[in-house]
Amino acid sequence: MKRLIEKANALTESLPYIKKFYGKTFVIKYGGAAQVKEELKAPFASDIVLLNLIGIRTVIVHGGGPKISDTMKRMGKEPVFVHGQRITDEETMDIVEMVLGGLVNKEIVALINNHGGKAVGLSGKDGNLILAKKKMLKRSTGSDDESIDIGLVGEVDQVCPDLLYALERENFIPVISPIGAGLHGETFNVNADDVAASVAAAVKAEKFILLTDVAGVNNKKGEIIATVHKKDIKKLIDEEVVSGGMIPKVQACRRALDGGVSKAHIVDGRVPHCLLLEIFTDQGIGTEIVE
Amino acid sequence: MKRLIEKANALTESLPYIKKFYGKTFVIKYGGAAQVKEELKAPFASDIVLLNLIGIRTVIVHGGGPKISDTMKRMGKEPVFVHGQRITDEETMDIVEMVLGGLVNKEIVALINNHGGKAVGLSGKDGNLILAKKKMLKRSTGSDDESIDIGLVGEVDQVCPDLLYALERENFIPVISPIGAGLHGETFNVNADDVAASVAAAVKAEKFILLTDVAGVNNKKGEIIATVHKKDIKKLIDEEVVSGGMIPKVQACRRALDGGVSKAHIVDGRVPHCLLLEIFTDQGIGTEIVE
Amino acid sequence: MKRLIEKANALTESLPYIKKFYGKTFVIKYGGAAQVKEELKAPFASDIVLLNLIGIRTVIVHGGGPKISDTMKRMGKEPVFVHGQRITDEETMDIVEMVLGGLVNKEIVALINNHGGKAVGLSGKDGNLILAKKKMLKRSTGSDDESIDIGLVGEVDQVCPDLLYALERENFIPVISPIGAGLHGETFNVNADDVAASVAAAVKAEKFILLTDVAGVNNKKGEIIATVHKKDIKKLIDEEVVSGGMIPKVQACRRALDGGVSKAHIVDGRVPHCLLLEIFTDQGIGTEIVE
Amino acid sequence: MKRLIEKANALTESLPYIKKFYGKTFVIKYGGAAQVKEELKAPFASDIVLLNLIGIRTVIVHGGGPKISDTMKRMGKEPVFVHGQRITDEETMDIVEMVLGGLVNKEIVALINNHGGKAVGLSGKDGNLILAKKKMLKRSTGSDDESIDIGLVGEVDQVCPDLLYALERENFIPVISPIGAGLHGETFNVNADDVAASVAAAVKAEKFILLTDVAGVNNKKGEIIATVHKKDIKKLIDEEVVSGGMIPKVQACRRALDGGVSKAHIVDGRVPHCLLLEIFTDQGIGTEIVE
Amino acid sequence: MKRLIEKANALTESLPYIKKFYGKTFVIKYGGAAQVKEELKAPFASDIVLLNLIGIRTVIVHGGGPKISDTMKRMGKEPVFVHGQRITDEETMDIVEMVLGGLVNKEIVALINNHGGKAVGLSGKDGNLILAKKKMLKRSTGSDDESIDIGLVGEVDQVCPDLLYALERENFIPVISPIGAGLHGETFNVNADDVAASVAAAVKAEKFILLTDVAGVNNKKGEIIATVHKKDIKKLIDEEVVSGGMIPKVQACRRALDGGVSKAHIVDGRVPHCLLLEIFTDQGIGTEIVE
Amino acid sequence: MKRLIEKANALTESLPYIKKFYGKTFVIKYGGAAQVKEELKAPFASDIVLLNLIGIRTVIVHGGGPKISDTMKRMGKEPVFVHGQRITDEETMDIVEMVLGGLVNKEIVALINNHGGKAVGLSGKDGNLILAKKKMLKRSTGSDDESIDIGLVGEVDQVCPDLLYALERENFIPVISPIGAGLHGETFNVNADDVAASVAAAVKAEKFILLTDVAGVNNKKGEIIATVHKKDIKKLIDEEVVSGGMIPKVQACRRALDGGVSKAHIVDGRVPHCLLLEIFTDQGIGTEIVE
């Protein structure tokens, strides 16, 4: 009975958050440990189904890095990276599309559906959801900037959210692969954080939540910074508080805020039910990026 | 953090119930300690608001016995009861209507609204919601049945749920006083359990929940009976397992089931958050009456 | 046959008014003789039902003064007034709410429903319809203004007309008690003319009609003034053409006009069918207040 | 003032009829004196506009006999009738269509619109509203039946009321010429009473009202028979109570009743406001034909 | 089989035009040879039905000149023209209305319906579609302008397109006679090109297409000018490139463009399927008038 | 100009078919040469876009055989077939899903979108569109039937068309991979013809069109049989008129008809614009299977 009452209390404490977020849209970048570790999959799926049932609309954008390289190797092709970006020739692009759109995307769809949701997998080609254009890699070399062609790597040019709205009207949960459609029929490999940030901006999401494999943005003492204001991002990067792989994540958050998203969150995907913990508590977990 | 994870687990465990009851209507008879004791009011109101936010539609029917007698005495009128039924002359009826419709009903409305809900108080006259007809008291006296006139006491003749639907469409929460409108302009004092059971049948409620001041239906050893089947009710009454004030409550449940309600519940209103405990656990609390 | 033809002519003469007011909303302050005298009740109810059938939406706000004092006395409490305002302690507020919301409101609802309408009784608490705040009585005393605390007397802070719209969509006729909901859970006794004027402004009513016990605003010769322009109200009060109890009525009309109502009318509620006479004739009856 | 109160009473007495017919459809055959005499035109138009404003939907079917013959003569063509039916060759049909569809129909449309309605003129060709087939004239000659070809005279084969519904949805008032569209592109001259009865049946009208130049069906003493039951029609014809031009009118009423119309009325169109008199009184005027 | 493949190719080549015009409205002035010559009627009707099926909404405005004079003569009335305008007394107006609204309009309706469309014939009186005012003929005479009264000839004052929208919602095809309703109950004879241009402007048509009996606007060498820019119209008239009967046609096109129509076309109605040829080819046929 | 007129004629001849199929749904099995040969891709895509623009709703189900085996080989896995069915272990299933859902599906989506359509790629997992169950291979061996486990090969258990309806409402064109979702989270490789037939039955398609690499069903003389009646299928198989790979195709057609589809067609996908030829001609091409 005590257990039951604690449960009732937990529900009651959630009430203000449910009221606050009712009918709002959250765009969630799903990746890292949360996507890969078996024991984290069920909590993620059940969180998503729960959020949808209590009136929060979710859009999921996933990545899929390691599986792509594995498959390339199995097909006798060595992955090559320049400055962290995958050199993407046509054959590589085919493999990226097969793995992301065919395997990873549908696995997430099935995972959510097996927990009682109604997920629908999409790539950026579907309904021209993500229009992309070729991205050149910029590299500073002494006096000049050098532009490197890294193949079919794209950046988001435009998001056409009509398909998302059509699905949401019928309570389907969109799950998006970061594949972009070029204007001339090309297929582009687009960074998943970028796709997620652009989608969040296009649908004017209430929250943009990035699941990562770190506890948040740390200050120099190693403590999590609870809140970062947009205007301070540049300073934090200059001071190398934000550095390495955290830089593009923080920049994706900034772009989402620029596009009209209310709040962005860098959340530790290694914690089970991290979505609920972020959403249903005042302090949240991880780092929030706000105006 | 441990506290947070327990909270997330509590939400997660609620998921199957939220899924099960999404979009369903629960009719709740609100009365007894839950309605009177200060410390039970806030949990009730917060439960109602929570249920509505997660997609469960609620209709509340309340009683209000003690306050009626208090007011009668203050106005110099002695309450008279025959077989537990209040003799209701016109002046008494006016007091019943004033207390139930004016004071008690609006107190509940304000309580829910102060917790963030959108409650609307109604009596059976509003939109001809509860049409009632005069009820005669039957008393067995030796060989014959005797019929006693107890004044403006009525029983439900017909429920016109259009007003409830109009309010639900806009997410208002109806709170109903057990006052019935007679066909010839009379006002009738109707038993609140009966009104609640009739409303539950009229809207084909998923659950009819009776908040009482007992832990449920007890067997002869004093243990709670978890489930009573409709067909066994007569036997339980004959064997005096169900007796006294529990008899009309069980009969109201039976009428609700006869009218198409899926399940009826006799729940201990003295337990804070008893609604959540009943709805979000498999065992529930109290006694359920089923087909 | 002559009788029939006169009837047809009467209908025909009404045509321009029916065309003019089709789909418009009238807010009617119901009180005084019209509300109390038995022989005036049926004509009022039948007028309301007729107006609704020919496409005019009505919202009724009622008062209920004498009944409140009667009930207070029966409960051993002496009514106290300061400058015409009822000193309202908590106990008095309970009685006000009981009498207005429980008895008077539901009597009007039943009256209209028995004439074939679909009335629904509301207080300002329902759906947070009338949010009110405490009103202090101002009294000029020689050099200074004095502020007197008269208890739970409130003034309208905000009207939330969503509930009215939800009811109108389904052709229900709202009947409102002048009870206001405070922001901190208080209940306020609010002047019915003020509530009616505020509701009229909130729904941008075509007409605000005040039923009173006088024939209209008289000039110094005792003749009714057919039309008063808003800009002249101050002068009429300064010259004591408008005086005594007529002052707050004219001021309520002014507030309604300020809030966007097209016309306000002070109408003699003692005349049977005064609503029809006002609405279906060019000259109208009583005094109209216009921009 | 007395005049005003009589007017209010007239409106009040209309209330039960307005309630009864709200949202119902009346099909009115407009012809005879009501259509031709100048002083009867305005009352007819104002009645139609009034009925529509108080929620009664009207469909008007008109005739136009004399004007057709006039125009024929002006164009040097002698009208020929056999057993009361106009022999209709192609040239005659053109004149019929010109006069009915071009002149008479649009005059009625303008008349109603000038009184504030929104009339739309139609012929049976518009939206294939009235599909007709050739009608042969049957004549008994001693031992045999003879079939006479009277040209492009048709009878109603099918009514497609979709166009009427599209117009009613937007509160337009359909005014129909009795021209039928043949399946093979022919144009047919159809009896207006027949078209009106068929339209009334197709839209399941509440009332079918035939405006005529007589006071109703008379009994042998010359008194109006208030009510004729459908089953008695044959007997009344056999006994020559119903005779001459009244026979096809009574038969059109019978067909309307057979098709599901609630009541048919033969009304004296020479009385100003005869529509209001029929609809807003219990006794009505003229003769009603009922099941 | 070769025939079939050519057919498939024709459909395929139409695809870009179908995409481009999907859901757009075209207003078509129907007149001249296309309306009169038997062999051109069926292609016109089938074009109209086809356009509607592939999602192009059409509104047709027709003329009817020769038939009016014929009928006048048959009725012993000599047509009189001043500067190309028909002197229209009341009797003439009746004939105009009979011929246009009764005969010509319904013939076109039947023609389209027999090809599978759902046409509905309208005059400007129906639903007050075309409000017109009296037009005076201006004539320069040496030093002064002279104003000549030519009777019931009108010009468009206002178009009320509500009726067109009501019909289009249900996929009916409006066919309009150029008859205008005066504000004081008059009937006006209005130039059909003017009515068509005004309707095109009122519904913000994508195209305004004038079917004429010439191949287009010719330059001085007798070649068709494919495109005329609005700003050049005055110069073309001054240089007498555009002259005679072509002047009012070009001016109607200009008015349509001024009113917001995207493109106007002067098309050779003598070519079978001229509508399809204009719409489904890049070069079109005839002359287009553009901004 | 002659070319243009032929084009107009082609459009005109299509009119009856456009009328007939307006608003109907066609399910198309896309495969074989039509899917693989470069020069057939554009005609297919343009046909699909055209059909959708003229009001025919299409659902496409595709196969993808050769690409699967190619990819398997590149990944060092030898494809194994038993009785024409691919032995599908988990690793093979992953490859099937990658190739079909990731590569082939999205290529078709992009092809259609580049022709101006709004295609959306789906697998049977999306929105639980295709629920499948394990299929055992039956093999007759002398006296007994032998059941062979061929791994994750499934057959359609249930189609949930809600997702298709949600997409069609917004004019998206669904493109489905033949992947089935098992009830216990499995992924099944399902025959594309079977999926297409089941989807056609679920949406009560007007036509089920199978694009194949043959000209149709041949009789023993090698001539195409234009029409096969469902009742004759068994006989045709027994007589080996229908044999080999044609048997499952004809059986898929039969299942579609059993499920309520109006007509099934086996069409030669090697002919450019075969869809238009089938739909817009009376004789059609290939073989139709009818009740």
Side-chain angles (χ1 to χ4, degrees), chain D residues 114-144:
Chain D
N114 290 335
H115 279 79
K118 299 198 303 174
V120 173
L122 303 171
S123 96
K125 290 182 175 175
D126 292 309
N128 285 327
L129 179 60
I130 313 288
L131 297 179
K133 59 185 182 199
K134 191 172 167 58
K135 183 182 175 182
M136 296 303 285
L137 192 63
K138 298 275 188 292
R139 191 168 55 168
S140 279
T141 57
S143 54
D144 286 315

Short mmCIF file of all heavy atoms in Angstrom, two decimals, chain D residues 114-144:
data_model
loop_
_atom_site.label_atom_id
_atom_site.label_comp_id
_atom_site.label_asym_id
_atom_site.label_seq_id
_atom_site.Cartn_x
_atom_site.Cartn_y
_atom_site.Cartn_z
N ASN D 114 -35.72 41.53 -53.47
CA ASN D 114 -36.01 42.92 -53.11
C ASN D 114 -36.65 43.01 -51.72
O ASN D 114 -36.68 44.09 -51.13
CB ASN D 114 -36.89 43.58 -54.16
CG ASN D 114 -36.12 43.79 -55.45
OD1 ASN D 114 -34.90 43.89 -55.43
ND2 ASN D 114 -36.83 43.84 -56.57
N HIS D 115 -37.16 41.91 -51.19
CA HIS D 115 -37.68 41.89 -49.82
C HIS D 115 -36.64 41.37 -48.83
O HIS D 115 -36.97 41.12 -47.67
CB HIS D 115 -38.95 41.04 -49.74
CG HIS D 115 -40.16 41.79 -50.20
ND1 HIS D 115 -40.45 41.95 -51.55
CD2 HIS D 115 -41.12 42.49 -49.53
CE1 HIS D 115 -41.56 42.67 -51.67
NE2 HIS D 115 -41.97 43.01 -50.47
N GLY D 116 -35.43 41.18 -49.29
CA GLY D 116 -34.37 40.82 -48.35
C GLY D 116 -34.00 39.35 -48.32
O GLY D 116 -33.19 38.93 -47.49
N GLY D 117 -34.58 38.54 -49.21
CA GLY D 117 -34.22 37.12 -49.27
C GLY D 117 -33.03 36.89 -50.19
O GLY D 117 -32.50 37.84 -50.78
N LYS D 118 -32.62 35.65 -50.31
CA LYS D 118 -31.56 35.29 -51.25
C LYS D 118 -32.08 34.17 -52.15
O LYS D 118 -31.72 33.00 -51.99
CB LYS D 118 -30.30 34.81 -50.51
CG LYS D 118 -29.67 35.85 -49.58
CD LYS D 118 -28.21 35.48 -49.23
CE LYS D 118 -28.12 34.12 -48.59
NZ LYS D 118 -26.73 33.68 -48.38
N ALA D 119 -32.94 34.54 -53.11
CA ALA D 119 -33.55 33.54 -53.98
C ALA D 119 -32.64 33.22 -55.16
O ALA D 119 -31.86 34.06 -55.60
CB ALA D 119 -34.89 34.04 -54.49
N VAL D 120 -32.73 32.00 -55.64
CA VAL D 120 -31.99 31.55 -56.82
C VAL D 120 -32.96 30.81 -57.72
O VAL D 120 -33.60 29.84 -57.28
CB VAL D 120 -30.82 30.62 -56.42
CG1 VAL D 120 -30.16 30.03 -57.66
CG2 VAL D 120 -29.79 31.39 -55.60
N GLY D 121 -33.07 31.25 -58.97
CA GLY D 121 -33.99 30.63 -59.90
C GLY D 121 -33.38 29.42 -60.59
O GLY D 121 -32.22 29.45 -60.99
N LEU D 122 -34.16 28.37 -60.72
CA LEU D 122 -33.68 27.14 -61.33
C LEU D 122 -34.73 26.62 -62.30
O LEU D 122 -35.92 26.85 -62.11
CB LEU D 122 -33.47 26.06 -60.26
CG LEU D 122 -32.53 26.39 -59.10
CD1 LEU D 122 -32.63 25.30 -58.04
CD2 LEU D 122 -31.11 26.52 -59.61
N SER D 123 -34.27 25.89 -63.33
CA SER D 123 -35.23 25.07 -64.07
C SER D 123 -34.84 23.62 -63.78
O SER D 123 -33.82 23.35 -63.16
CB SER D 123 -35.17 25.38 -65.56
OG SER D 123 -34.34 24.47 -66.25
N GLY D 124 -35.66 22.71 -64.23
CA GLY D 124 -35.38 21.30 -63.97
C GLY D 124 -34.12 20.81 -64.64
O GLY D 124 -33.61 19.74 -64.33
N LYS D 125 -33.60 21.62 -65.60
CA LYS D 125 -32.34 21.21 -66.25
C LYS D 125 -31.14 21.48 -65.35
O LYS D 125 -30.12 20.79 -65.48
CB LYS D 125 -32.17 22.01 -67.55
CG LYS D 125 -33.14 21.63 -68.65
CD LYS D 125 -32.86 22.45 -69.91
CE LYS D 125 -33.75 21.99 -71.06
NZ LYS D 125 -33.57 22.86 -72.23
N ASP D 126 -31.23 22.48 -64.50
CA ASP D 126 -30.07 22.87 -63.69
C ASP D 126 -29.70 21.74 -62.74
O ASP D 126 -30.51 21.31 -61.92
CB ASP D 126 -30.39 24.14 -62.91
CG ASP D 126 -30.53 25.35 -63.84
OD1 ASP D 126 -29.61 25.55 -64.66
OD2 ASP D 126 -31.54 26.05 -63.77
N GLY D 127 -28.47 21.29 -62.84
CA GLY D 127 -28.01 20.19 -62.00
C GLY D 127 -28.87 18.96 -62.16
O GLY D 127 -28.94 18.13 -61.25
N ASN D 128 -29.52 18.81 -63.35
CA ASN D 128 -30.44 17.67 -63.59
C ASN D 128 -31.47 17.52 -62.48
O ASN D 128 -31.84 16.40 -62.09
CB ASN D 128 -29.64 16.37 -63.72
CG ASN D 128 -28.94 16.26 -65.06
OD1 ASN D 128 -29.45 16.74 -66.07
ND2 ASN D 128 -27.77 15.64 -65.06
N LEU D 129 -31.98 18.65 -62.01
CA LEU D 129 -32.89 18.65 -60.87
C LEU D 129 -34.16 17.84 -61.13
O LEU D 129 -34.58 17.04 -60.30
CB LEU D 129 -33.24 20.11 -60.54
CG LEU D 129 -34.19 20.38 -59.40
CD1 LEU D 129 -33.62 19.84 -58.10
CD2 LEU D 129 -34.41 21.88 -59.25
N ILE D 130 -34.79 18.07 -62.30
CA ILE D 130 -36.04 17.35 -62.63
C ILE D 130 -35.81 16.54 -63.90
O ILE D 130 -35.77 17.11 -65.00
CB ILE D 130 -37.22 18.33 -62.88
CG1 ILE D 130 -37.33 19.40 -61.80
CG2 ILE D 130 -38.54 17.57 -63.10
CD1 ILE D 130 -37.83 18.93 -60.49
N LEU D 131 -35.68 15.25 -63.77
CA LEU D 131 -35.60 14.40 -64.96
C LEU D 131 -37.03 14.00 -65.32
O LEU D 131 -37.79 13.55 -64.46
CB LEU D 131 -34.73 13.18 -64.69
CG LEU D 131 -33.27 13.53 -64.39
CD1 LEU D 131 -32.46 12.27 -64.12
CD2 LEU D 131 -32.65 14.31 -65.56
N ALA D 132 -37.38 14.20 -66.61
CA ALA D 132 -38.77 13.95 -67.02
C ALA D 132 -38.80 12.97 -68.19
O ALA D 132 -37.80 12.72 -68.85
CB ALA D 132 -39.43 15.27 -67.42
N LYS D 133 -39.96 12.40 -68.41
CA LYS D 133 -40.16 11.53 -69.58
C LYS D 133 -41.47 11.93 -70.28
O LYS D 133 -42.33 12.56 -69.67
CB LYS D 133 -40.18 10.07 -69.15
CG LYS D 133 -41.26 9.76 -68.14
CD LYS D 133 -41.15 8.32 -67.65
CE LYS D 133 -42.30 8.06 -66.67
NZ LYS D 133 -42.05 6.91 -65.81
N LYS D 134 -41.58 11.53 -71.50
CA LYS D 134 -42.74 11.92 -72.30
C LYS D 134 -44.03 11.38 -71.68
O LYS D 134 -44.08 10.26 -71.19
CB LYS D 134 -42.58 11.37 -73.72
CG LYS D 134 -43.59 11.92 -74.71
CD LYS D 134 -43.23 11.47 -76.12
CE LYS D 134 -44.38 11.74 -77.09
NZ LYS D 134 -44.77 13.16 -77.15
N LYS D 135 -45.06 12.23 -71.73
CA LYS D 135 -46.35 11.83 -71.19
C LYS D 135 -47.34 11.72 -72.33
O LYS D 135 -47.44 12.62 -73.17
CB LYS D 135 -46.81 12.93 -70.22
CG LYS D 135 -48.10 12.64 -69.51
CD LYS D 135 -48.46 13.84 -68.63
CE LYS D 135 -49.82 13.64 -67.99
NZ LYS D 135 -50.18 14.82 -67.18
N MET D 136 -48.06 10.61 -72.41
CA MET D 136 -49.07 10.45 -73.44
C MET D 136 -50.42 10.79 -72.80
O MET D 136 -50.66 10.48 -71.63
CB MET D 136 -49.09 9.00 -73.95
CG MET D 136 -47.81 8.58 -74.65
SD MET D 136 -47.37 9.63 -76.07
CE MET D 136 -48.58 9.03 -77.28
N LEU D 137 -51.28 11.42 -73.56
CA LEU D 137 -52.61 11.72 -73.06
C LEU D 137 -53.50 10.50 -73.28
O LEU D 137 -53.61 9.99 -74.39
CB LEU D 137 -53.18 12.93 -73.80
CG LEU D 137 -54.45 13.54 -73.19
CD1 LEU D 137 -54.17 14.09 -71.80
CD2 LEU D 137 -54.95 14.65 -74.10
N LYS D 138 -54.09 10.04 -72.19
CA LYS D 138 -55.01 8.89 -72.30
C LYS D 138 -56.43 9.44 -72.41
O LYS D 138 -56.84 10.31 -71.65
CB LYS D 138 -54.92 8.03 -71.03
CG LYS D 138 -53.55 7.43 -70.77
CD LYS D 138 -53.34 6.12 -71.50
CE LYS D 138 -52.04 5.43 -71.08
NZ LYS D 138 -50.83 6.16 -71.52
N ARG D 139 -57.18 8.89 -73.37
CA ARG D 139 -58.58 9.29 -73.49
C ARG D 139 -59.46 8.06 -73.70
O ARG D 139 -59.19 7.26 -74.59
CB ARG D 139 -58.74 10.26 -74.69
CG ARG D 139 -60.09 10.92 -74.72
CD ARG D 139 -60.11 12.05 -75.71
NE ARG D 139 -59.68 11.58 -77.04
CZ ARG D 139 -59.83 12.32 -78.13
NH1 ARG D 139 -60.33 13.54 -78.06
NH2 ARG D 139 -59.44 11.85 -79.29
N SER D 140 -60.46 7.91 -72.87
CA SER D 140 -61.40 6.79 -73.03
C SER D 140 -62.37 7.10 -74.16
O SER D 140 -63.00 8.15 -74.15
CB SER D 140 -62.21 6.59 -71.74
OG SER D 140 -61.46 5.87 -70.81
N THR D 141 -62.47 6.20 -75.10
CA THR D 141 -63.42 6.41 -76.20
C THR D 141 -64.25 5.16 -76.34
O THR D 141 -63.84 4.20 -76.99
CB THR D 141 -62.71 6.68 -77.53
OG1 THR D 141 -61.84 5.58 -77.80
CG2 THR D 141 -61.90 7.94 -77.50
N GLY D 142 -65.40 5.20 -75.75
CA GLY D 142 -66.28 4.03 -75.85
C GLY D 142 -65.59 2.79 -75.32
O GLY D 142 -65.28 2.70 -74.13
N SER D 143 -65.28 1.88 -76.21
CA SER D 143 -64.73 0.60 -75.78
C SER D 143 -63.24 0.68 -75.46
O SER D 143 -62.74 -0.03 -74.61
CB SER D 143 -64.95 -0.45 -76.88
OG SER D 143 -64.39 0.06 -78.09
N ASP D 144 -62.48 1.57 -76.13
CA ASP D 144 -61.02 1.53 -76.02
C ASP D 144 -60.43 2.78 -75.37
O ASP D 144 -61.06 3.83 -75.30
CB ASP D 144 -60.40 1.41 -77.42
CG ASP D 144 -60.59 0.02 -77.98
OD1 ASP D 144 -60.36 -0.94 -77.21
OD2 ASP D 144 -60.97 -0.09 -79.15
#
